[in-house]
Amino acid sequence: MEEQDLRFVIVGHVDHGKSTLIGRLLYDTGSLPEDKYQSIKEAVEALGREFKFAYLMDHLEEERSKEATIDTAQTFFKSKKRRYTIIDAPGHVEFVKNMITGASQAEAALLIVDVSQGVQEQTRRHAYILSMLGIEQVIVVLNKMDLVNYSQKKFVEVRTQVSDFLKSIGITPSLFIPISAVEGDFVAKKTDNLSWYDGLTILEGLDTFKKKVVPIGKPLRLPIQDIYDFDGEKIAVGQVVSGSIRKGDKIIILSDRKEVTIESLKEFGKNPIEAYAGKSIGFTISDSIQLRRGQIISHQKDLPNVTTSFKGHLFWMDDKPYEKGESITFKCATQETQCNLIIEKVFDSSTLEVMSKGEGKIENRQVANVTIKTSAPVVIENFNYIPELGRFVLVRKDCCAGGIITG
Amino acid sequence: MDYLDRLENESIYIIREAYNKYEKLGMLWSAGKDSTTLIHLTRKAFLGRVPIPVIYIDTYFHFQEMYDFRDKCVKMWDLNLIISNNKDAVKKGITPKDKLACCTARKTEALKQTIEEYGFEALLLGIRRDEHGIRAKERFFSPRDRNFRWNYQDQPPELWEQYKTRKEEGQHLRVHPLLSWTEIDVWKYIQRENLPVNPMYFARNGKRYRSLGCEPCTQSVKGNAGTIDDVIKEIEESKVGERSGRAQDKEEAYAMQKLRALGYM
Amino acid sequence: MVVVLAVDALEYDKIEEFNCVNMKQTVYGKTDISEFKEPRTIVLWSSFMTGENKEKEVLAKGNRGMWNIRIPLSETFFSKFADPKVIDLPAYSYNLAQHEKERDLLKQFFKEDDQEKKKKIRSEYNQIAIQHHNKIKKEFLKSLKQDFDFILGYISVIDVIGHLNFGNKFLMQMLYDDLEKIVEQIKNIRDEPLLILSDHGMKAIGIFGEHSNYGYWSYNKGCDLENPKITEFYSFLTTI
């Protein structure tokens, strides 16, 4: 068994069967809390009734959505290969903020589509968000095959529809799996109902997802998080987001472009000479230059972009729209400054229909292509190259938008 | 970098974020395995120091071994310990006979008083997402109001490593550096880092504790795990929740009270 | 013939939530039991059958004694019928041994600290409650085919199971479903005036359940009852 769990999100239109699928996964992998299941089973037997599986799942979801004091919703289960964590992602349109938060923590996604209904509003919106967040590992689940008599023709038809749509937003799913979560077909076990399908079950499909690899081969980027003054020694700390840093390296501090030498790397209980991407490290420099939070460390070669104007693509998720001219806080890694947006194109996050070009407003759940003008220079990267410096949030009191840098 | 390293580095990053944003930062420490791991991570974040006060909520009903373990750690790590208790509750003689009232008075109220007394703006807590259903909805940085209420349905978005660090008047932030860890991860990390743990986690006479609390209200579980390896193996095979000894306590106490009032008992 | 289905702890909100159309009948609503200090089972059924608030008298018997109360036929409205049949009603024809056994297991459950043993107790508790329910159900449906002019069947399972499982919604829904089926069977056997009535409802404390402070009633014909008190059914049922 792999040591680390894989975190994935299940997204899709409301009522397309997300909770039933979660329930079914938990049930078929033996992850439901035993006592509760036991009392239900006993009562079913005593009353001489059939086990209504669909009921149970509704209740599970409801308890999850309430502040359930009952120990129900373990969103953890395991396959033979590894443990999984399902990240909560509600399907209702009002909860799109929560969906984005969930998806931003995920390494992979299942996109669930009711085969009797095909692509719907939240299917499109959620898929679009996945693509924007750069979640590349996606499996499409065509649920409720029982409602279409397990028709292969219907499966192929909807698969084509979903596939065409996903292609248009740059997602290539690794698999399309027909299932019935209610009946348990091809969730954890293969059944005769879908005898024409010789592919993987969901559980097998999940096992094909790969863990994220930390980018070591890329140039050094180390955003300074804080400066500590311990016993008269000034130690800068931060997490290396890409590349590696060595003791004695000549480094450039951006955006000031000062060159200094790394005198020592600091880690508790160790005396490291090198730190790779992913590491939260401390360091001291040979000069008496004042370091501060928000500076980015790089090597002389492969310098990142330092600019006050760049293009981005953002998802607005606040009730109060962005209006032309508003100064708003821009945060990227540990950098924080004010910015203004020049709105180029605004579109609906579900239909992708263009709402306006160059007008002055971005409303809740709209997506926009913008040019961001910052009041101080920032160090950025294209999202596809170094995501940690290619993604940003815009903040008023709370986070109002998340986005990626496209150029 | 293996997966424990990844978890460790994520936690250190979060601890440093909280420290950067808040001067009045504290940490809750129960002397249990999770919050002790949190102290260790804090020492890593600050290169061997624990520069923030560590709050121990003392109900006066903890196991003696918890107090012993606590005092040992305080000495070893030179911790700035704040003991939080609700003297009123003691004076009023609120005891675990009424579990609900006791928990509220001796834990929740005690912490409220300490937060007010010291003016804490943010607290580090060692909670994990896998502990309990509702915790799956927790964020790394989560605002609570004066009465500790948490509006989990309308939380601000938390994207990537951009946390909600701003707090409103009257709120304090709960910061959860261990949110992504599982019970097994914590044990593996304790083993790897050779951290001290309370001996109550290991079996004596066929029983051990999976989660520690007050003596009258914490139950042991059956088990023979005598080493960390055994503990990990036992958890991997178990289907019973970690907090099964504790989760329903409050409701149970209240239900019992009600049934008594209705003449059932 | 007048038929009463007396269901302990039948909850108005659950009837709505599960949309139990059979139990809603023609008119339905909450009963007003606010005159009582606590929604106690024995107090409420005693008051129902006598048409008087019996809280004081019942409480005088103490928490232990009250469960053994037997109100004589002559003090109840059942005596207004020529040939009444009242099955298992608390404070009247209640199966003392059965219900004492249930309360005893309930006590044991809360006393027990060992989780494994607790599970076993809960399981036994649920089992005996359902077995008793099946027995009562049978007796009640059988009586409907006989020539009584008044039949009351008392269903305790919702209350008994509810106290330890109310938060297990799936289980509760299954029991409500079972009651829906019973009402359907009653209708199929004969179309008579049918009152469905509870003493009080129930609300959740985590997985457990406690009494809510209103009851439920429904009737299969039009009538002018509105937010009735439990004592009002005395005259209502004797003037049909």
Side-chain angles (χ1 to χ4, degrees):
Chain A
M1 164 118 36
E2 278 181 17
E3 279 194 297
Q4 194 177 9
D5 63 329
L6 186 127
R7 307 162 79 193
F8 71 99
V9 65
I10 304 182
V11 298
H13 195 72
V14 63
D15 289 336
H16 279 201
K18 223 162 15 195
S19 54
T20 313
L21 175 57
I22 294 174
R24 180 50 89 166
L25 273 169
L26 298 180
Y27 181 83
D28 284 0
T29 54
S31 318
L32 280 178
E34 220 175 327
D35 330 9
K36 203 166 174 207
Y37 174 66
Q38 196 57 30
S39 6
I40 293 167
K41 219 177 97 194
E42 283 167 9
V44 168
E45 281 161 16
L47 288 166
R49 307 274 295 280
E50 244 174 77
F51 191 88
K52 272 204 189 163
F53 193 78
Y55 265 11
L56 179 64
M57 295 317 139
D58 289 349
H59 296 332
L60 277 177
E61 176 56 16
E62 203 187 292
E63 279 165 14
R64 266 151 49 84
S65 63
K66 279 195 248 153
E67 187 159 13
T69 37
I70 316 156
D71 205 358
T72 31
Q74 287 194 34
T75 36
F76 299 84
F77 66 93
K78 14 181 193 192
S79 71
K80 285 198 187 97
K81 186 172 176 184
R82 57 162 92 98
R83 289 177 293 138
Y84 287 94
T85 303
I86 306 173
I87 298 174
D88 210 31
H92 279 286
V93 60
E94 319 78 273
F95 295 135
V96 72
K97 282 193 305 198
N98 295 354
M99 183 270 162
I100 293 183
T101 298
S104 81
Q105 313 287 339
E107 298 164 84
L110 297 183
L111 175 64
I112 190 165
V113 180
D114 179 340
V115 73
S116 69
Q117 293 193 12
V119 173
Q120 299 290 316
E121 185 189 347
Q122 300 309 314
T123 319
R124 285 190 293 260
R125 180 169 288 128
H126 285 183
Y128 186 78
I129 291 167
L130 293 181
S131 109
M132 210 181 94
L133 295 173
I135 295 173
E136 285 162 359
Q137 307 193 77
V138 178
I139 289 177
V140 175
V141 176
L142 297 182
N143 188 27
K144 307 199 187 179
M145 288 301 296
D146 54 314
L147 296 187
V148 297
N149 295 318
Y150 298 99
S151 152
Q152 183 175 11
K153 192 170 152 256
K154 188 76 191 167
F155 169 73
V156 172
E157 184 189 312
V158 179
R159 183 180 63 187
T160 310
Q161 184 203 20
V162 178
S163 164
D164 287 350
F165 165 69
L166 292 180
K167 204 184 282 170
S168 74
I169 57 168
I171 292 181
T172 316
S174 57
L175 295 165
F176 286 84
I177 305 179
I179 68 157
S180 164
V182 169
E183 301 300 327
D185 303 307
F186 278 80
V187 176
K189 46 185 192 284
K190 303 190 171 174
T191 63
D192 294 338
N193 288 332
L194 286 157
S195 50
W196 49 264
Y197 171 74
D198 59 0
L200 304 181
T201 62
I202 297 222
L203 206 57
E204 291 166 339
L206 287 169
D207 283 350
T208 65
F209 283 145
K210 295 194 171 52
K211 291 292 303 174
K212 209 173 102 188
V213 208
V214 183
I216 293 169
K218 290 187 177 167
L220 168 69
R221 300 291 180 258
L222 166 55
I224 295 181
Q225 192 181 5
D226 208 344
I227 318 293
Y228 301 143
D229 190 344
F230 290 145
D231 308 323
E233 191 177 33
K234 290 235 187 315
I235 300 164
V237 296
Q239 187 166 19
V240 182
V241 298
S242 70
S244 63
I245 187 168
R246 285 181 73 89
K247 184 179 172 178
D249 273 2
K250 284 206 182 321
I251 51 149
I252 307 291
I253 304 163
L254 296 165
S255 56
D256 311 0
R257 296 187 187 277
K258 286 187 184 118
E259 192 183 49
V260 296
T261 304
I262 297 285
E263 189 182 56
S264 66
L265 292 178
K266 299 277 186 185
E267 189 184 351
F268 173 54
K270 289 182 189 157
N271 209 350
I273 50 163
E274 192 165 29
Y276 292 99
K279 189 91 200 164
S280 280
I281 193 80
F283 65 89
T284 58
I285 52 171
S286 51
D287 307 65
S288 58
I289 290 169
Q290 282 268 319
L291 295 174
R292 56 173 202 278
R293 178 180 167 96
Q295 289 173 323
I296 310 287
I297 304 297
S298 166
H299 288 129
Q300 179 61 48
K301 59 168 198 163
D302 293 323
L303 282 175
N305 308 305
V306 182
T307 174
T308 56
S309 173
F310 51 92
K311 286 190 189 308
H313 194 56
L314 63 82
F315 188 99
W316 193 260
M317 46 185 160
D318 196 64
D319 291 337
K320 194 180 153 213
Y322 178 83
E323 298 203 39
K324 197 171 154 184
E326 181 187 347
S327 172
I328 192 167
T329 306
F330 169 90
K331 286 167 94 175
C332 168
T334 58
Q335 306 176 93
E336 193 172 327
T337 178
Q338 289 302 110
C339 77
N340 272 294
L341 305 181
I342 295 171
I343 302 164
E344 275 150 25
K345 202 163 89 179
V346 177
F347 38 100
D348 182 284
S349 58
S350 173
T351 60
L352 301 187
E353 179 192 342
V354 176
M355 309 302 285
S356 71
K357 282 189 180 175
E359 307 261 322
K361 224 180 195 183
I362 314 168
E363 305 208 44
N364 200 3
R365 293 192 287 275
Q366 286 182 337
V367 181
N369 290 343
V370 294
T371 297
I372 299 168
K373 301 271 188 193
T374 55
S375 56
V378 287
V379 177
I380 52 149
E381 295 285 357
N382 188 298
F383 177 71
N384 293 322
Y385 185 49
I386 298 174
E388 286 80 0
L389 283 174
R391 60 197 185 196
F392 62 89
V393 296
L394 300 178
V395 182
R396 283 183 188 134
K397 232 168 65 182
D398 285 327
C399 172
C400 302
I404 58 170
I405 293 162
T406 50
Chain B
M1 180 172 274
D2 73 8
Y3 90 101
L4 283 178
D5 291 331
R6 259 185 251 176
L7 288 171
E8 178 188 72
N9 281 291
E10 177 188 82
S11 301
I12 291 174
Y13 186 84
I14 294 165
I15 294 167
R16 286 176 173 165
E17 276 304 274
Y19 186 68
N20 176 270
K21 299 290 176 190
Y22 288 103
E23 227 163 88
K24 298 273 181 162
L25 175 69
M27 178 183 347
L28 281 193
W29 179 46
S30 67
K33 63 180 193 313
D34 301 310
S35 56
T36 304
T37 299
L38 183 59
I39 291 195
H40 181 70
L41 289 162
T42 306
R43 295 178 76 226
K44 288 209 165 187
F46 304 113
L47 305 158
R49 295 160 185 79
V50 182
I52 59 174
V54 171
I55 304 160
Y56 182 92
I57 302 177
D58 193 357
T59 61
Y60 298 123
F61 285 115
H62 290 155
F63 293 91
Q64 187 53 43
E65 277 175 293
M66 290 168 70
Y67 295 116
D68 296 345
F69 180 76
R70 177 193 75 186
D71 295 340
K72 190 178 102 181
C73 293
V74 168
K75 224 173 171 181
M76 188 167 58
W77 292 327
D78 191 21
L79 303 176
N80 172 7
L81 184 74
I82 293 176
I83 295 189
S84 165
N85 53 47
N86 179 354
K87 293 192 183 68
D88 277 358
V90 182
K91 249 186 251 157
K92 282 184 195 146
I94 297 171
T95 68
K97 263 188 200 141
D98 184 343
K99 287 188 191 180
L100 182 74
C102 187
C103 263
T104 309
R106 287 175 184 261
K107 282 155 88 173
T108 317
E109 275 307 318
L111 181 58
K112 269 188 205 166
Q113 290 172 10
T114 303
I115 289 177
E116 247 163 65
E117 188 184 338
Y118 291 84
F120 284 116
E121 299 166 305
L123 294 176
L124 300 176
L125 274 80
I127 66 158
R128 306 185 324 265
R129 216 178 255 131
D130 73 333
E131 267 177 85
H132 198 283
I134 194 71
R135 296 236 159 126
K137 296 186 187 297
E138 278 284 9
R139 303 264 154 101
F140 291 106
F141 282 66
S142 175
R144 300 292 150 103
D145 71 8
R146 262 193 200 93
N147 296 314
F148 292 6
R149 273 183 304 243
W150 169 43
N151 187 353
Y152 62 92
Q153 274 181 329
D154 190 28
Q155 304 186 71
E158 184 170 81
L159 263 72
W160 308 301
E161 62 291 314
Q162 299 296 348
Y163 308 115
K164 153 96 183 170
T165 51
R166 206 177 304 199
K167 75 174 194 78
E168 306 307 320
E169 180 60 31
Q171 284 182 334
H172 72 273
L173 280 175
R174 300 241 166 144
V175 182
H176 308 128
L178 296 183
L179 201 56
S180 310
W181 297 54
T182 65
E183 190 183 6
I184 291 181
D185 297 337
V186 169
W187 280 114
K188 287 191 174 161
Y189 188 72
I190 286 172
Q191 188 172 46
R192 187 183 92 170
E193 302 286 307
N194 199 15
L195 299 184
V197 271
N198 191 316
M200 293 171 69
Y201 286 112
F202 303 110
R204 277 172 291 195
N205 307 320
K207 293 202 157 192
R208 65 178 204 89
Y209 291 86
R210 241 175 117 178
S211 135
L212 301 180
C214 295
E215 191 162 2
C217 301
T218 306
Q219 269 101 45
S220 54
V221 294
K222 271 189 211 153
N224 292 310
T227 63
I228 295 180
D229 275 329
D230 296 346
V231 169
I232 292 170
K233 199 160 162 255
E234 202 176 285
I235 300 166
E236 270 170 349
E237 286 162 5
S238 161
K239 267 179 80 176
V240 180
E242 178 186 5
R243 293 173 67 86
S244 64
R246 291 188 6 196
Q248 287 182 6
D249 273 1
K250 281 196 195 179
E251 289 109 31
E252 187 168 327
Y254 184 61
M256 189 159 68
Q257 212 178 54
K258 280 285 166 187
L259 288 173
R260 201 172 279 138
L262 294 168
Y264 280 86
M265 335 252 297
Chain C
M1 182 190 262
V2 174
V3 185
V4 176
L5 185 63
V7 186
D8 206 303
L10 190 63
E11 169 56 46
Y12 177 89
D13 289 345
K14 289 280 166 205
I15 297 268
E16 289 288 12
E17 186 182 347
F18 302 146
N19 192 21
C20 304
V21 285
N22 292 349
M23 281 194 282
K24 282 184 180 175
Q25 305 199 82
T26 309
V27 280
Y28 69 101
K30 289 181 182 176
T31 62
D32 175 8
I33 52 169
S34 59
E35 63 188 290
F36 302 95
K37 272 191 233 107
E38 290 278 356
R40 290 181 178 88
T41 295
I42 298 287
V43 170
L44 291 162
W45 292 119
S46 302
S47 306
F48 159 74
M49 66 183 111
T50 58
E52 291 165 17
N53 183 329
K54 289 283 179 189
E55 189 163 36
K56 243 187 181 162
E57 283 174 69
V58 171
L59 289 187
K61 303 270 180 188
N63 275 344
R64 246 169 205 290
M66 73 174 178
W67 300 99
N68 299 325
I69 291 175
R70 295 278 185 193
I71 295 177
L73 173 67
S74 58
E75 290 178 27
T76 70
F77 71 82
F78 314 141
S79 62
K80 313 271 179 191
F81 293 90
D83 192 9
K85 165 106 180 171
V86 177
I87 302 166
D88 204 29
L89 186 66
Y92 187 79
S93 55
Y94 199 43
N95 181 332
L96 294 177
Q98 164 73 20
H99 298 293
E100 200 174 302
K101 172 91 182 135
E102 289 159 3
R103 287 197 307 278
D104 185 51
L105 284 170
L106 194 64
K107 224 185 289 178
Q108 279 182 38
F109 176 87
F110 284 106
K111 266 198 195 151
E112 184 56 60
D113 282 335
D114 185 289
Q115 291 301 318
E116 287 300 312
K117 286 188 192 146
K118 260 181 137 68
K119 254 189 231 169
K120 281 208 189 94
I121 298 170
R122 188 197 295 258
S123 159
E124 188 189 344
Y125 176 84
N126 290 353
Q127 288 298 311
I128 69 156
I130 293 178
Q131 275 161 18
H132 182 66
H133 170 67
N134 287 338
K135 212 177 84 193
I136 297 292
K137 181 161 75 175
K138 219 163 150 192
E139 188 183 344
F140 177 62
L141 293 172
K142 199 176 111 197
S143 308
L144 282 175
K145 292 175 191 154
Q146 296 165 354
D147 290 328
F148 303 103
D149 60 348
F150 177 82
I151 297 179
L152 181 148
Y154 168 75
I155 307 281
S156 59
V157 73
I158 300 267
D159 180 70
V160 178
I161 298 259
H163 279 303
L164 286 195
N165 305 274
F166 198 68
N168 186 342
K169 212 177 108 188
F170 179 82
L171 179 52
M172 295 316 292
Q173 184 165 12
M174 233 165 40
L175 295 173
Y176 275 69
D177 269 7
D178 200 62
L179 289 182
E180 282 287 273
K181 292 238 166 75
I182 295 176
V183 176
E184 196 180 312
Q185 280 170 292
I186 297 172
K187 279 193 298 194
N188 289 343
I189 295 171
R190 50 170 80 200
D191 181 30
E192 302 280 2
L194 171 64
L195 175 76
I196 299 176
L197 182 70
S198 78
D199 44 356
H200 50 73
M202 191 166 267
K203 59 184 176 190
I205 313 171
I207 188 79
F208 306 103
E210 68 156 306
H211 297 173
S212 58
N213 48 12
Y214 49 80
Y216 175 83
W217 72 279
S218 76
Y219 191 57
N220 59 349
K221 317 248 182 299
C223 71
D224 52 11
L225 287 174
E226 208 173 299
N227 203 20
K229 291 184 174 177
I230 198 160
T231 46
E232 284 175 43
F233 293 99
Y234 185 106
S235 63
F236 176 76
L237 288 167
T238 47
T239 52
I240 288 172

